[in-house]
Structure formats: structure tokens, C-alpha cells
Amino acid sequence: VTASPLPEALRARYSGAYSPFLLADLALEGEISREDALRALGELESVARRQGNVLVVAHALPAMIETISAWASSLKDKGIT
């Protein structure tokens, strides 16, 4: 079970404008608790402000979908669109 951001050096190395792939800023894998997922997603908010976007990948488990949906719904109130 991990909630791990990609290292800055790796993201910088492979995030060219014409790159044929995307790198996730966060991977939520396995049975991660709602609290841990929300904590990791909350940390991404500063990344979103700095980069202008973030990409999160996660297992399509019902609880994870609900958690990400709730977090995404809160972003507009925080000034992140």
C-alpha cells in the first residue's frame, strides 16, 4: 500500500511537451485508508498551484472513487479549478 509522489528529478526528466506519455504526480495503490488518501491528495494541492495541474492514478475501488470524488469537489472552494 503506497501513496507516493514521483521524485522531482524523475518528473522533470520525462515531462517534455512532446512526450508520448504522462507521469502521475501521485499513485494511490491498494487498500489505502481514506485518511491517508486525503492526506496525500491534500499535499497535491500545492503542486497543483505551482504546476497548474496534477495527475493522480488510483485503483478503481469504490471507496477510492468516493474519496477522490469528495476531494475533487472541494477544490473549487480552495481556488483550484
Side-chain angles (χ1 to χ4, degrees), residues 47-64:
V47 176
R49 287 184 180 94
R50 187 176 68 245
Q51 290 182 177
N53 58 55
V54 293
L55 177 63
V56 177
V57 294
H59 289 261
L61 302 170
M64 187 59 64

Side-chain angles (χ1 to χ4, degrees), residues 34 37-38 41-42 45 62-78:
R34 179 178 176 89
L38 287 172
L41 290 165
E45 293 171 16
M64 187 59 64
I65 292 169
E66 290 174 20
T67 299
I68 292 172
S69 178
W71 171 74
S73 295
S74 75
L75 295 177
K76 187 174 181 180
D77 292 338
K78 298 175 184 178

Side-chain angles (χ1 to χ4, degrees), residues 12-41:
R13 181 176 176 190
Y14 293 107
S15 64
Y18 298 101
S19 180
F21 57 90
L22 298 172
L23 289 175
D25 295 289
L26 178 68
L28 297 172
E29 302 171 308
E31 293 285 340
I32 186 170
S33 73
R34 179 178 176 89
E35 294 78 22
D36 287 343
L38 287 172
R39 185 177 315 111
L41 290 165

